[in-house]
Amino acid sequence: MRISVDEARELWEASDEELIRRANEVRDRFHDPKRATYMVMRIINYTNVCVAQCDYCAFYVLPNQQGGYVLSRDEVFAKIDELVEFGGDLVGFNGGFNPRLPLDYYCDLFASVRERYGDRVEFYALTIAEFVFLADRARLSYAEAAARLRDAGVHWVTGGGSEILTEDFRARHAKWKYTVADYFAAQRAIVESGMRTTATMVIGFDETLDERLEHLQRTRDFQDETGGLFSFLCWTYKPYGTAFGGREISPQEYRRWIALSRIFLDNVKHVRTSVLTQNEGAFRALDYGADDFDLPIEDEVTQKAGARIDLDLEGLLAIPRRLGYTVEYRRAERPAALAPS
Ligand code: SF4
């Protein structure tokens, strides 16, 4: 049975046992209870130059400041080749809002990656947040910009960069990034273009419980309307080196939020736990309703804010196995609407 925001607020006070039981009722509707899937992936941070100035970010430099970079095509290829050597096949491109990079830069980059790797490597081209920025700068509608990316060989634009999707949160921490209304309008255009997308959430700033619940409500509504969300991934804010600062939330709070999200998002198939920000502790979230995870080999954005990456992938996979799960590799799929004819 679907729960309301009021019921979710009450459930947040429940015991861990109750949350686990309810979360697994929903998980079991979609998945084998003792099976988890995973991917080996790498975020390629193609530029750190950004004008958005989010106060929770330790990654960016402003244009003309020292230390700014844009990766060359060869540097991007070398990073993908290294990922393949690690056994991975998923790249997430994620960078700053760099005003010197026009839409054509992205289309050329993504077309060259598709040409070189075909379907052997899948890539999440951008986050919705970057997509909003570059469509606006190109003075294109979201539908027109989405079509340009799709025609350049892009299959996925992920829901990254969403943190907490309330207008108040955006105004407090990221007022130049996007509005929530723009975010969902852009994500809708991605879905309508035939590409696929995902939902994400970051917790542990200063957001209230009501703000977290509003984020889940908006996500569930979007999925009801479009069916375009493949998965929901939640990770935790890393405060080190950021202007906002703060402290990390506890692993237990993270797991409980995974459980509540699993219960609330009854229309999203996959709920993913974050090895990038929770390390070994991420796997315990499988007991709280998560069914899938990434093993990332790089993400400069979170690493700059304190995330630690463990490259002993077999050692990591041994942990969910010890918890009683079989783990299976999951390849990123090409969306059905973009299947070759
Ligand atoms: S989080 Fe992204 S958009 Fe915000 S300042 Fe950092 S790089 Fe820029």
Side-chain angles (χ1 to χ4, degrees):
M1 256 258 296
R2 175 163 279 197
I3 64 167
S4 67
V5 164
D6 286 342
E7 287 165 330
R9 197 181 293 109
E10 263 178 49
L11 200 48
W12 186 236
E13 303 300 321
S15 66
D16 278 30
E17 291 70 26
E18 174 72 0
L19 279 173
I20 289 170
R21 186 184 65 75
R22 297 277 300 268
N24 281 309
E25 277 175 12
V26 182
R27 187 192 196 279
D28 293 353
R29 291 213 293 271
F30 294 105
H31 308 286
D32 180 334
K34 280 296 167 193
R35 176 173 172 266
T37 47
Y38 74 100
M39 310 176 90
V40 176
M41 65 94 70
R42 159 175 234 154
I43 307 282
I44 296 184
N45 306 109
Y46 55 89
T47 182
N48 64 345
V49 175
C50 187
V51 291
Q53 302 182 64
C54 309
D55 70 1
Y56 47 76
C57 179
F59 168 67
Y60 74 95
V61 302
L62 292 167
N64 300 324
Q65 258 185 342
Q66 270 201 335
Y69 69 74
V70 177
L71 295 184
S72 69
R73 189 83 42 99
D74 285 345
E75 287 171 318
V76 168
F77 290 161
K79 282 178 181 285
I80 299 176
D81 291 345
E82 192 183 36
L83 170 69
V84 172
E85 281 167 29
F86 266 95
D89 66 351
L90 177 67
V91 171
F93 286 98
N94 177 220
F97 291 8
N98 187 334
R100 298 206 181 101
L101 300 181
L103 182 60
D104 283 345
Y105 161 87
Y106 295 93
C107 291
D108 291 349
L109 174 66
F110 299 141
S112 71
V113 172
R114 184 64 72 201
E115 186 185 8
R116 184 174 158 112
Y117 296 95
D119 280 356
R120 282 184 299 132
V121 171
E122 190 49 273
F123 58 92
Y124 293 167
L126 297 160
T127 62
I128 297 293
E130 294 156 280
F131 174 73
V132 167
F133 175 75
L134 65 94
D136 287 350
R137 280 195 66 83
R139 297 179 191 279
L140 294 176
S141 69
Y142 296 138
E144 290 166 332
R148 292 277 299 278
L149 289 176
R150 184 199 57 211
D151 294 347
V154 172
H155 299 159
W156 293 81
V157 176
T158 64
S162 68
E163 296 96 26
I164 299 286
L165 286 167
T166 73
E167 299 294 8
D168 275 358
F169 180 91
R170 313 297 337 153
R172 289 203 303 281
H173 298 292
K175 58 176 174 275
W176 291 298
K177 199 166 178 182
Y178 55 76
T179 66
V180 176
D182 283 347
Y183 185 93
F184 281 109
Q187 194 161 35
R188 183 180 298 272
I190 293 295
V191 174
E192 288 174 352
S193 76
M195 292 186 284
R196 287 214 79 179
T197 187
T198 63
T200 65
M201 179 173 196
V202 189
I203 58 171
F205 307 92
D206 61 351
E207 75 283 357
T208 63
L209 176 59
D210 279 353
E211 285 184 310
R212 286 191 192 177
L213 292 171
E214 183 178 332
H215 183 112
L216 290 186
Q217 177 78 64
R218 287 177 183 276
T219 302
R220 190 169 74 182
D221 289 348
F222 181 81
Q223 181 73 331
D224 277 347
E225 289 159 24
T226 69
L229 299 174
F230 178 78
S231 60
F232 170 82
L233 166 65
C234 180
W235 69 91
T236 53
Y237 168 55
K238 293 285 182 183
Y240 311 102
T242 68
F244 179 60
R247 298 170 59 178
E248 294 193 62
I249 63 168
S250 71
Q252 187 196 18
E253 181 175 348
Y254 174 71
R255 293 195 297 271
R256 288 174 57 83
W257 190 254
I258 288 285
L260 193 69
S261 302
R262 177 64 286 179
I263 297 163
F264 195 89
L265 298 175
D266 59 358
N267 55 358
V268 178
K269 184 174 179 186
H270 294 286
V271 169
R272 317 187 68 220
T273 180
S274 168
V275 176
L276 180 62
T277 58
Q278 292 290 305
N279 296 102
E280 297 83 353
F283 301 108
R284 285 202 58 202
L286 296 172
D287 292 340
Y288 287 68
D291 61 275
D292 190 87
F293 57 90
D294 287 323
L295 297 181
I297 66 166
E298 182 185 29
D299 176 25
E300 200 185 332
V301 176
T302 41
Q303 287 176 277
K304 277 257 170 73
R308 170 174 61 82
I309 292 212
D310 184 349
L311 294 178
D312 177 10
L313 305 188
E314 277 308 312
L316 286 170
L317 288 172
I319 301 171
R321 289 185 179 121
R322 278 200 296 274
L323 293 173
Y325 293 90
T326 56
V327 287
E328 284 176 26
Y329 198 84
R330 175 172 68 77
R331 275 188 58 80
E333 291 164 22
R334 183 194 274 254
L338 301 181
S341 48

